[in-house]
Amino acid sequence: MQSAYTADVIGVVDGIETPAGRFLDNLDLSLDGDLERQFGWRGARVHFSLLANGGGEPNAIAGTLQGYDNIEVGSPGVRLYEAWIEQDLADGAGSVLAGLYDVNSEFYATEASDLLIAPPFGIGSELAATGPNGPAIFPSTSLAVRVRIGSREGLHVQAAAVNARAGTIGDDGGVDTTMDDGILYLAEAGWTGPVRIAVGAWRYGEGQEDIRDVLPGGDPALSDAQGAYLVAEGTVFEAEDAPTVRAFVRLGVSDGDTTDFNGGWQTGLRVDSVFEGRPDSAFSIGFHQGLLSDKAQANARDGGVTFGEAEGGIELTYADTFGPFTIQPDLQWIYNPGGDEDRDPILTAGLRVILTLR
């Protein structure tokens, strides 16, 4: 069992009339169990995770489309985040997993970007914005089945079928078991060696509400929601008694009919052991851009707003660990905030403190 408490103070310091910030926090309690060791159930394991989120909404100050703090939630509260069982297949050559599951834990994920705070570095906005209430990612997951063939090294293939409506214990309505909104299907194939590369695709089994087209009666038309992505990461410099430098690149495309985005990209570097004698010191720089769809731009024009081609940004962050505490200052520069090319770029500053107990 382990726990991590994250507290952020973050806000906009330049680019708006009145600079302001917010405090927000996240408590993550997780428990992993080896069923083979405990009960003799060969090759089986379970995982449970509980989240408690509180505090303000910093993006209400900035008004961006993609957000700039990855622990911000729309509804503070306590949630059962994940609860799944995984069974090995063919002596460990593969596995099947079932339960409440975060698809971003294994799909569209890069470890080299995980120090960065901006949400697009976790999962591309063109997928994060989909579904009736978002896909099964932080902070609300949904029932899923995932099959994986391969191991952490070498080739792997994985696929998942996930309830399209995210909802778990602690959300209004709890866990959705009706599947009335259909299924989100994901598939990914990749190879891990000195460099890790993976390509994936996703599609909703039922049409999703179009952001612009309407039916004769005025209700939104239903359009196919689908997309694909490519991720790559690897070590670009490593030497004894020197910092280790890793790089990542992520590209995503989507239909552009059911969200404001028709694609996006993220790239950057992570440097570990920045300072001699500080093995946990880490620095990261990241660049991201969420590409805005033609329909999103047309909707904005109807409302008297001129959308740019994209909303994007640059992030700089540094972290170091002192006992159980990790201290992480963060800076972000975001242009076309909210997609509006007439708005000034904004500068955000924040401080993250993490208390980890194992």
Side-chain angles (χ1 to χ4, degrees), residues 323-344:
F325 292 96
T326 298
I327 310 298
Q328 181 179 352
D330 183 86
L331 287 173
Q332 297 180 48
W333 180 80
I334 302 169
Y335 64 91
N336 293 345
D340 187 349
E341 68 177 10
D342 293 328
R343 283 185 59 187
D344 292 333

Side-chain angles (χ1 to χ4, degrees), residues 175-258:
V175 178
D176 177 65
T177 59
T178 66
M179 308 291 176
D180 287 344
D181 292 289
I183 303 295
L184 168 61
Y185 300 98
L186 304 100
E188 181 183 290
W191 178 79
T192 301
V195 174
R196 174 181 172 269
I197 186 168
V199 292
W202 54 270
R203 178 182 173 88
Y204 283 85
E206 296 188 7
Q208 302 295 304
E209 290 187 356
D210 196 284
I211 63 171
R212 184 164 180 83
D213 296 344
V214 296
L215 299 173
D219 292 330
L222 298 181
S223 297
D224 292 334
Q226 56 194 347
Y229 61 86
L230 180 148
V231 298
E233 61 182 333
T235 300
V236 295
F237 178 82
E238 187 175 26
E240 187 175 356
D241 298 326
T244 298
V245 182
R246 289 182 288 164
F248 66 89
V249 177
R250 300 148 49 92
L251 305 170
V253 296
S254 71
D255 53 273
D257 294 322
T258 58

